[in-house]
Structure formats: C-alpha cells, structure tokens
Amino acid sequence: MSISFSYADRPLNVRGKRKIKQLLLEVARLEGHEVGHLNYVYCSDEFLLDINRRFLQHDYYTDIVTFDLSHPGQMAIEGEIYISVDRVHENAESLKVPFAEELLRVVIHGLLHLIGYDDKSAAKRKKMRRAEDLYINFFETLR
C-alpha cells in the first residue's frame, strides 16, 4: 500500500504528508476499503484542462480529475488523482477558506470518488460534502 504526491507542471510543497497519508488510509478503512496505491499529481489549470478534454471529452476547468485504476472485485483502491493547484487557490479565495483546507478537501474528494461516492446530483453532492466535512474534522484529531 502506498500513497504518493508528485507534480506535473506546478510544484507544490505539501506540508504534513505523513498526516495526510494517515488520514487517507483511515478514510479508506472507515469506508470499508484499503489502499493499494494512490498517486496524487498536482498541476496547473491548463494541464488539467488538457486531461479533461483528452480523456473525458469535457471542455472546462475543474479542480480534480480522478482515474480509477482498481481491479474489479478487489478491495484495494488504486488510482491516479490530478489536482489543479490554480483551481484550488481560486476556490479557497472564493469560499474564504485557507488554501490548505481546500486542498485537503479536494484530496479527500478524490479518494471518496474512488470509494464510490458520486457528485452528479444535488443529493449526492450533499452526501459527499458531509463526508468531506467529517474527514476534515477527523484530520484535526490526528497527530
């Protein structure tokens, strides 16, 4: 089991990686899964827009694109999660929350997608948001 943080074209010094990894492992466990391998890749808006266009045929900016690389029937979660640092900065400003909090929310959001959470409807977005809030608060209790 491993969790890695890297970057494509937008360097980002992620503080507290050990604690974030601990949280992600615990989220997976609490949701009835285990982590095989997760690779978080930080990038720019333009880099993620290109991924969104090429692989999802979506022509718009987004903060995250998650690729599920898990094997059918396997409990271990495998995935590659691309996060636009530009979009996270902009969202943090508009929501008036610290960048680190918004980044943590997006990191959790990617894992929740791999676990099976969906945000295609208002009700499902609300359920996902509640889970994000729960795990952000749980993060604060970790040492």
Side-chain angles (χ1 to χ4, degrees):
M1 95 181 110
S2 67
I3 300 170
S4 60
F5 299 97
S6 58
Y7 61 89
D9 66 338
R10 183 73 75 226
L12 179 65
N13 181 20
V14 179
R15 295 175 190 252
K17 287 182 202 172
R18 185 189 60 75
K19 188 175 172 184
I20 294 169
K21 288 178 183 182
Q22 182 183 355
L23 172 70
L24 294 172
L25 293 172
E26 193 61 19
V27 168
R29 186 187 69 75
L30 290 168
E31 294 285 341
H33 295 271
E34 62 186 52
V35 171
H37 179 72
L38 299 177
N39 184 29
Y40 285 88
V41 181
Y42 299 105
C43 58
S44 67
D45 268 350
E46 294 306 317
F47 189 93
L48 197 53
L49 178 61
D50 183 56
I51 287 174
N52 216 9
R53 286 175 176 157
R54 284 190 299 142
F55 295 100
L56 303 174
Q57 289 72 51
H58 298 161
D59 192 19
Y60 53 82
Y61 291 113
T62 186
D63 53 1
I64 189 168
V65 170
T66 304
F67 293 102
D68 188 348
L69 305 176
S70 302
H71 301 286
Q74 180 181 344
M75 288 303 290
I77 297 168
E78 308 260 342
E80 201 158 78
I81 300 135
Y82 291 84
I83 296 175
S84 168
V85 176
D86 300 330
R87 197 78 0 228
V88 172
H89 270 292
E90 191 170 300
N91 291 344
E93 285 179 19
S94 68
L95 296 169
K96 296 180 179 19
V97 298
F99 172 77
E101 181 182 323
E102 184 62 15
L103 181 62
L104 183 61
R105 180 178 301 282
V106 175
V107 166
I108 294 167
H109 185 90
L111 176 57
L112 291 175
H113 270 307
L114 292 172
I115 287 170
Y117 281 73
D118 187 358
D119 56 3
K120 301 262 188 249
S121 71
K124 290 179 179 182
R125 275 191 299 278
K126 188 175 181 179
K127 181 180 178 185
M128 183 176 260
R129 187 61 158 201
R130 279 195 308 264
E132 291 167 2
D133 289 341
L134 173 73
Y135 294 127
I136 286 171
N137 289 332
F138 182 71
F139 179 75
E140 300 305 323
T141 68
L142 297 175
R143 295 179 191 253

